[in-house]
Amino acid sequence: MGLLFKDDLQDSFGTWALGYIPYGGADFGEVQAIARTVGDGDDGAFYTAWANAGDRLTERGKEALAKGRRASARDAFLRAACHYGSSYHLLFGAPVDPRLLAAFRKQIAAFNDALALLDPPAVPMRIPFGEQTLPAYVLPAAGRAYEARPLVILTNGYDATVTDMYFASAVAASRRGYHCLFFDGPGQGEMLIEHGTHIRPDWESVIAPVVDFALTLEHVDSKRIALIGWSLGGYLSPRAASGEHRLAACVADPGLFGIAEQVRHMLVKLGATLDDVADLGAIDDRLLERVARAADADPHLHWSLFQRGFWVHGVDTLRDYFRCVGEFTLSGRVESIACPTLLTAAENDPLAVGARAFYDALRCPKQLLAFTAAEGAGAHVEAFNRSLLNDRVFDWLESALGS
C-alpha cells in the first residue's frame, strides 16, 4: 500500500505532484481525490483519472480567461499541465501509446497557455541541435526580467519533461533572482515522445549548443551560467561540465557517477559477482535470464528496464540495454570537471549511494549536501521537500557565482 495510491508503482508516480505544491503544480486534495478515483483500478484507470482531472482544469482555465481572470486561468493551466504529465508514465514504452501522446500534447498546450499569461510572457523557443531543434523556455528572474542576471540551465533525467523542471526548480530559481533556461534533450520529453530521439551519454555535446543559445539571450550574465541536473541529470550535468568549460557552476541532484555503476550494483544484488559485471556488454546469458525473471516478478524493475530503459535508449534486448548504459559513466572524465560543483545525497535515494565516492573523486571546488528523512527530504531528488532542496542549492549558488 502506497502513501496515497493502493498500488505501489502507481503511488511512485502519483505522488510526484506533491513535490510541486509550493510551485503551483497541484494541491494535496487534488492528488488525494485522484487516488480515490483510481482505487483498485489498473494503469488505464490511473491514466484516465489524471487525464480527466487535467481536462477539468483546462476547461476551468478557459472559462476564467474568457472572463478576463488571467491569474486564475494561468494557475488552472499550470495545474492541468502537471496533471496531464502525471497521467502517462505507466504507459511508457515503444511503440508510443496513443494515450501517452494525447496527454503529452495536452500537457504542453496547457503549459504554453499558462506561460503566455505570465508578466512578461514566457514563450516556447527552439535550440538548434544538429539537424533538429530542442524545445526550450526561459523563465526570467521575478521582478528583474530586464536586468543582467545569472542564468541557471536545468537538465532533466530519464522520465520527466520541461513541465516537471518548471515546477521542481525553475520557479524557485526565478524567485531567487536567476533567469532560468530549461529544455528537453535527446531521450527526454518531446524529443523522445514526438521524434523518437534517444538519449546519449555524451551530454557535453548536448549542453554545448544549449550554452551557445543561452549566450544569444538578452540580460544573461555570460560569466555566471550554472547547470543543474536532477535524477539521471545528476550524471548528465557533471558529464556536461567535464567537457563544457563555459559553465561557472554545476549541481548534481543526486551526485551520480553514472548509470553503469547503478546497474552493476543491481546485478550484484541479484547474485552476480563483480567479475561477472565488469563488462556490461559481455554479461552471460544465464545472468540475463536471471535479470529477466527478477523483472517479471517486480513491477518497478520491469517498468525501469523493459518500458523506460528500452524505450529511452532505443533498444529491445537486455544485452543491448546493458551495453548502452555501460557508456553512461564519468570514469576517465571526472578529473576534467573544473567549475565549482555541488552534489546532493538524500538519505533514502538509491541513486545517491555513490555520491560520497563521486565527491571524493572530484578535483574541483566542491560540496556535498546531505538530506534526511527527518527533514522530509530523504526521498529521491528530495521529492517531498523541494523547498528545502531549492533553498540550499540556491544558497550555495549565490556563494559559488558571487551573486
Side-chain angles (χ1 to χ4, degrees):
M1 179 69 178
L3 179 66
L4 290 176
F5 294 79
K6 293 184 178 181
D7 178 85
D8 284 340
L9 188 56
Q10 291 178 2
D11 196 67
S12 297
F13 296 112
T15 54
W16 267 24
L18 299 180
Y20 303 157
I21 290 172
Y23 306 109
D27 264 333
F28 182 84
E30 292 176 321
V31 182
Q32 187 179 49
I34 289 169
R36 291 196 187 111
T37 299
V38 176
D40 295 315
D42 61 10
D43 295 345
F46 181 90
Y47 166 85
T48 299
W50 280 103
N52 286 348
D55 289 343
R56 290 192 295 271
L57 285 162
T58 297
E59 288 306 310
R60 188 184 307 168
K62 291 177 179 178
E63 291 169 4
L65 191 58
K67 296 176 182 177
R69 296 171 179 162
R70 293 170 59 87
S72 293
R74 179 198 63 223
D75 292 349
F77 289 140
L78 282 173
R79 296 208 305 280
C82 176
H83 285 54
Y84 289 130
S86 296
S87 72
Y88 56 70
H89 285 85
L90 293 167
L91 305 178
F92 268 30
V96 180
D97 190 303
R99 295 170 295 175
L100 188 161
L101 185 60
F104 175 76
R105 290 174 175 173
K106 289 182 178 181
Q107 170 190 355
I108 298 303
F111 190 56
N112 290 341
D113 287 344
L115 297 194
L117 296 171
L118 296 176
D119 185 18
V123 298
M125 298 179 171
R126 307 296 303 191
I127 298 175
F129 183 69
E131 296 182 354
Q132 297 178 295
T133 60
L134 307 177
Y137 299 84
V138 175
L139 186 67
R144 309 177 81 170
Y146 304 108
E147 296 180 22
R149 302 294 303 160
L151 177 74
V152 169
I153 299 172
L154 302 180
T155 198
N156 235 324
Y158 245 146
D159 37 62
T161 68
V162 286
T163 65
D164 293 290
M165 282 186 288
Y166 172 87
F167 297 119
S169 291
V171 175
S174 174
R175 291 174 180 173
R176 291 292 288 262
Y178 296 91
H179 301 317
C180 188
L181 168 63
F182 51 106
F183 69 101
D184 281 334
Q188 301 170 337
E190 178 196 312
M191 300 309 293
L192 177 66
I193 296 169
E194 296 278 8
H195 309 301
T197 304
H198 300 116
I199 201 164
R200 52 193 292 174
D202 58 334
W203 214 247
E204 66 277 10
S205 299
V206 176
I207 290 300
V210 174
V211 174
D212 290 342
F213 177 81
L215 293 173
T216 69
L217 300 172
E218 288 188 286
H219 313 303
V220 167
D221 183 341
S222 63
K223 302 298 184 183
R224 294 192 290 174
I225 297 177
L227 176 64
I228 299 176
W230 73 326
S231 195
L232 179 58
Y235 158 77
L236 299 175
S237 180
R239 172 65 193 247
S242 74
E244 175 47 77
H245 297 296
R246 290 173 292 180
L247 297 172
C250 174
V251 178
D253 175 31
L256 184 58
F257 201 82
I259 312 177
E261 288 69 25
Q262 297 293 323
V263 168
R264 287 191 180 96
H265 180 71
M266 180 265 290
L267 293 173
V268 168
K269 287 177 65 176
L270 291 176
T273 68
L274 290 176
D275 287 341
D276 292 335
V277 298
D279 182 352
L280 289 176
I283 294 174
D284 68 45
D285 290 338
R286 288 175 297 176
L287 180 54
L288 291 177
E289 291 170 3
R290 194 183 312 162
V291 173
R293 288 195 300 271
D296 285 340
D298 182 337
H300 288 263
L301 187 58
H302 186 279
W303 182 88
S304 296
L305 291 178
F306 296 138
Q307 292 182 240
R308 180 187 65 183
F310 282 17
W311 185 31
V312 172
H313 290 273
V315 300
D316 54 16
T317 69
L318 273 174
R319 182 174 300 284
D320 285 342
Y321 173 72
F322 289 140
R323 176 185 53 77
C324 284
V325 300
E327 300 171 358
F328 285 72
T329 177
L330 281 162
S331 180
R333 299 191 63 92
V334 67
E335 300 83 0
S336 300
I337 301 171
C339 64
T341 298
L342 174 67
L343 308 183
T344 72
E347 182 178 0
N348 298 320
D349 185 352
L351 294 191
V353 294
R356 169 57 67 175
F358 183 7
Y359 174 83
D360 290 341
L362 287 168
R363 297 293 177 262
C364 57
K366 59 188 178 180
Q367 186 169 348
L368 175 64
L369 290 181
F371 292 87
T372 67
E375 300 169 301
H380 178 50
V381 296
E382 302 79 28
F384 300 132
N385 197 346
R386 290 296 295 180
S387 297
L388 177 63
L389 177 281
N390 286 321
D391 281 346
R392 295 180 71 185
V393 165
F394 290 116
D395 285 349
W396 178 85
L397 267 185
E398 287 175 8
S399 298
L401 298 180
S403 303

